Amino acid sequence: MKLSFAKKLTASYLFVATVTLLITGVFLSHHQNLWTAGAAAFLIAMGVSWITMRKISQPLRDLLASMGVETQDELGHLARTYSDMAARIEEKVRDLSRERTQLGAILSALIESIIAIDHQGKLLFLNPAAKNLFGLQSGDISGRPFLEVLRHSLLNDVLTQTLTERRVIQKEITLHAPEERVVSVHALPVDYGQGQTGVLAALHDITELRKLENIRREFVANVSHELKTPLTSIKGYVETLLDGAINDPEHNQEFLKTIQEHTNNLSQLIDDILDLSAIEAQRVNYRFEAVSVKEVVDRIIKALDPMAKAKKVTVVSKLSDTLPKARADREKLAQIVINLIDNAIKFNKPGGEVRLHAEPNGTALKLQVTDTGRGIPPEDLPRVFERFYRGDKSHSHEVPGTGLGLAIVKHLVEAHKGTITAQSTPGQGSTFQFTLPLA
């Protein structure tokens, strides 16, 4: 029994060993094959990768070098598409740059001041007119708060209101620095994208317009006053005459002479107003020619001699016979001289003198009219050429006149391309000097 069991155990052991050897042989055989297959696959993959990289990299190198792609595969088509797209983008950039330059040129050429701020109240843009209005030096102000740069609270209030209410705001405000100016502000909200709203404002300087409106109002008021005074006097004398004074030989002639005097003053006032209006509206036709100033002055002095004798004033001409001729309108020059000599006589003192002098001065002829009258106060001197302005109010009622003579003179001199100035010393007299171009 023991021998039989031993034989069986030995047989089993031999069987297991045989099977194990077979399995090991098979495993070793497959392991070798696996390494061989892996090595082959790796070599194949490397070859495919090298070939693929060659196909990819070569078109890309050509694309980056000159965008001239000769391949007809997908990458070549992609490169050509990219090249076309780049060309279109470059063209759009050029168009945008050109439009920006044109817009900048337009805004810079505008006489209106243009201001742009963002949603935070920071400056985006100021055109040259705006910088000039606010007295700003050239420099980068973009991105800085409005009040920090311009320091105008009234204007800031308008921009802030526009930004807050998101509606157009129009308002007239006064800027006090760097000089007092009146401006009309037109501000409107602007959508800058991404839900942000800024403000674009145009400022129009209307300072001169307001000055002209004030002058017009003063002119109407002065004309009304100048017309009302003599008309009231005329009305009073006429009513007195109608009430029976017409039959009073001691007073009727006196009343009629006073009425005649006021009527003449009214006629002169209307003539001066019409003349000044025509001159300012440039409706006057000038006939410029070579004119002997001495001849014109001598003629005017002779015509005003009765007035000078009545005021006991001597008029002296110092004009030389060799004085060169001036280029002027003869009648308008006579009007200038008449007004200046007439004023010099009226505002003179008994026993006083009026002197006229002329001499060449470069390409112009300089003429002076000097009197020995009461003179003009320093505070009135800058305004003597204004319409209806008459200094020394305490004595103005004593001297007849419309207050338009010097305004007319100034316009006529400037129409001759000349200038006129006034100098005076209170109590000693005045000198009016004007120039005319030489013929």
Side-chain angles (χ1 to χ4, degrees):
M1 286 294 293
K2 291 182 179 179
L3 181 60
S4 175
F5 176 77
K7 289 182 179 179
K8 288 181 180 179
L9 181 62
T10 301
S12 298
Y13 175 80
L14 291 174
F15 177 76
V16 171
T18 302
V19 172
T20 301
L21 289 174
L22 289 173
I23 292 173
T24 301
V26 172
F27 175 78
L28 291 175
S29 176
H30 281 286
H31 187 268
Q32 184 177 3
N33 291 337
L34 183 63
W35 275 101
T36 303
F42 176 76
L43 292 175
I44 293 172
M46 288 295 293
V48 172
S49 298
W50 183 80
I51 294 172
T52 303
M53 288 298 296
R54 287 278 299 175
K55 288 186 177 182
I56 294 175
S57 62
Q58 187 60 44
L60 290 177
R61 283 195 299 269
D62 294 341
L63 178 65
L64 293 175
S66 62
M67 300 304 295
V69 181
E70 298 179 359
T71 59
Q72 300 299 319
D73 56 10
E74 289 80 359
L75 287 177
H77 177 71
L78 177 63
R80 285 189 293 273
T81 302
Y82 175 79
S83 178
D84 293 341
M85 181 178 65
R88 288 195 296 271
I89 291 174
E90 185 177 355
E91 183 179 357
K92 290 296 183 183
V93 169
R94 285 197 301 267
D95 291 341
L96 290 173
S97 178
R98 183 167 56 251
E99 290 176 4
R100 180 178 180 180
T101 302
Q102 292 173 348
L103 179 61
I106 293 172
L107 292 175
S108 298
L110 289 176
I111 61 174
E112 282 81 8
S113 300
I114 305 298
I115 299 174
I117 64 171
D118 64 11
H119 63 291
Q120 295 179 329
K122 295 181 179 180
L123 282 169
L124 296 176
F125 177 78
L126 281 178
N127 71 339
K131 292 181 179 180
N132 183 62
L133 178 65
F134 293 103
L136 294 178
Q137 302 296 326
S138 298
D140 186 16
I141 49 85
S142 180
R144 295 172 60 187
F146 175 85
L147 276 178
E148 178 185 318
V149 178
L150 301 183
R151 302 181 184 276
H152 284 284
S153 58
L154 291 177
L155 180 56
N156 183 67
D157 291 343
V158 175
L159 300 181
T160 302
Q161 183 182 359
T162 305
L163 196 60
T164 304
E165 300 179 6
R166 297 196 176 188
R167 64 181 181 89
V168 176
I169 301 293
Q170 261 187 303
K171 190 171 289 186
E172 186 176 304
I173 63 174
T174 300
L175 306 178
H176 298 284
E179 60 179 328
E180 187 167 309
R181 311 295 294 176
V182 181
V183 296
S184 175
V185 183
H186 185 95
L188 67 156
V190 178
D191 185 6
Y192 291 128
Q194 299 180 349
Q196 296 180 352
T197 301
V199 176
L200 184 66
L203 283 68
H204 184 62
D205 190 342
I206 58 174
T207 306
E208 295 303 319
L209 178 61
R210 290 293 172 262
K211 286 182 179 179
L212 289 175
E213 289 181 353
N214 290 334
I215 291 174
R216 178 185 59 80
R217 284 194 292 267
E218 291 179 2
F219 180 77
V220 172
N222 288 328
V223 168
S224 300
H225 175 73
E226 294 293 336
L227 290 174
K228 186 176 180 179
T229 301
L231 283 174
T232 301
S233 180
I234 291 172
K235 181 181 178 182
Y237 283 114
V238 169
E239 289 176 351
T240 303
L241 289 171
L242 290 174
D243 287 341
I246 189 68
N247 299 317
D248 184 356
E250 294 184 9
H251 298 95
N252 58 9
Q253 291 297 314
E254 179 184 350
F255 290 170
L256 290 172
K257 286 180 180 179
T258 303
I259 292 173
Q260 184 183 37
E261 180 181 344
H262 285 301
T263 304
N264 291 337
N265 290 339
L266 281 175
S267 178
Q268 183 63 50
L269 174 61
I270 293 172
D271 288 343
D272 285 348
I273 291 174
L274 292 175
D275 284 346
L276 184 59
S277 298
I279 291 169
E280 289 183 336
Q282 298 182 351
R283 295 196 304 267
V284 177
N285 294 321
Y286 295 92
R287 183 182 176 183
F288 294 105
E289 57 183 335
V291 177
S292 170
V293 178
K294 186 178 185 306
E295 290 181 4
V296 173
V297 169
D298 289 344
R299 175 164 57 90
I300 301 303
I301 291 176
K302 185 177 181 180
L304 295 178
D305 185 59
M307 176 184 175
K309 288 180 177 179
K311 290 281 294 184
K312 298 181 181 178
V313 173
T314 304
V315 181
V316 179
S317 173
K318 299 291 185 179
L319 274 65
S320 170
D321 291 332
T322 60
L323 193 69
K325 293 184 177 181
R327 182 178 180 275
D329 182 297
R330 187 181 300 274
E331 296 305 317
K332 300 301 183 288
L333 174 58
Q335 193 173 359
I336 293 171
V337 175
I338 287 174
N339 275 290
L340 292 178
I341 297 179
D342 180 79
N343 277 353
I345 294 173
K346 285 192 301 186
F347 291 97
N348 218 314
K349 54 190 176 184
E353 185 178 72
V354 177
R355 295 184 302 274
L356 288 94
H357 175 76
E359 63 180 2
N361 183 25
T363 59
L365 188 66
K366 182 174 66 177
L367 296 94
Q368 291 180 332
V369 179
T370 303
D371 65 67
T372 58
R374 65 172 67 107
I376 304 170
E379 64 273 15
D380 291 330
L381 199 58
R383 302 188 61 186
V384 294
F385 295 106
E386 293 181 12
R387 292 175 293 184
F388 292 111
Y389 189 80
R390 302 178 71 182
D392 194 6
K393 302 296 186 298
S394 61
H395 297 284
S396 62
H397 65 281
E398 301 173 1
V399 181
T402 64
L404 296 174
L406 289 179
I408 292 174
V409 167
K410 183 176 185 293
H411 283 290
L412 290 177
V413 169
E414 291 177 348
H416 282 75
K417 308 301 181 184
T419 59
I420 184 167
T421 58
Q423 296 177 336
S424 183
T425 302
Q428 298 183 23
S430 306
T431 297
F432 287 84
Q433 176 180 290
F434 68 98
T435 61
L436 296 171
L438 291 173

